[in-house]
Amino acid sequence: MNIEAFREYCISKKGVTEEFPFDEHTLVFKVMGKMFALVPLERQPSQANLKCDPERAVVLREEYDGAITPGYHMSKTHWNTLFLEQLSPKLVTELVDHSYGLVVAKFTKKMKTAFDAL
């Protein structure tokens, strides 16, 4: 999956915004203001950081050795770096959904109400 397809998938999800909070080269996707994906645009090969359940993160890193690694410049427990071209688009979208779902599940009651109203 290339960066453009990754971006299109992320922004198609409910409540998602994109911004450059760190610098002009790091694209961040947020749902209701909470980050679920980060893309360093100038890194080659194309990469994305996604949140992941800690136990699943370990399994994915073992199964996709070299294509999924501990999150670059992120919590190594809760984030993975995906090398997008080395993985199937189906797996990438599944992992985007997982990351998004982890963030949505942690919403406060007030945030959940606002999210549901979108």
Side-chain angles (χ1 to χ4, degrees):
M1 175 178 276
N2 63 38
I3 290 291
E4 293 81 17
F6 181 87
R7 177 186 172 272
E8 287 298 319
Y9 187 73
C10 287
I11 63 172
S12 73
K13 302 189 79 54
K14 181 178 176 180
V16 171
T17 58
E18 58 184 338
E19 57 187 72
F20 290 90
F22 306 117
D23 59 41
E24 67 275 6
H25 306 293
T26 308
L27 179 59
V28 174
F29 297 94
K30 295 180 176 184
V31 55
M32 301 296 290
K34 302 291 184 181
M35 183 167 60
F36 73 94
L38 181 145
V39 178
L41 296 174
E42 293 194 335
R43 297 202 77 161
Q44 291 298 324
S46 298
Q47 301 169 29
N49 287 2
L50 296 172
K51 285 188 77 98
C52 192
D53 171 76
E55 291 177 13
R56 186 174 186 194
V58 172
V59 171
L60 287 166
R61 293 170 193 166
E62 290 172 357
E63 186 174 347
Y64 298 96
D65 188 32
I68 298 178
T69 61
Y72 181 74
H73 282 305
M74 307 295 280
S75 164
K76 308 299 185 220
T77 303
H78 296 280
W79 289 83
N80 280 336
T81 295
L82 282 62
F83 291 84
L84 298 175
E85 281 89 12
Q86 296 178 33
L87 300 166
S88 73
K90 181 180 179 193
L91 177 62
V92 173
T93 57
E94 176 188 320
L95 295 175
V96 168
D97 292 345
H98 177 65
S99 180
Y100 178 89
L102 287 172
V103 172
V104 170
K106 295 283 186 176
F107 283 171
T108 63
K109 188 174 185 177
K110 182 178 179 181
M111 288 175 69
K112 179 76 170 130
T113 300
F115 179 75
D116 289 343
L118 293 177

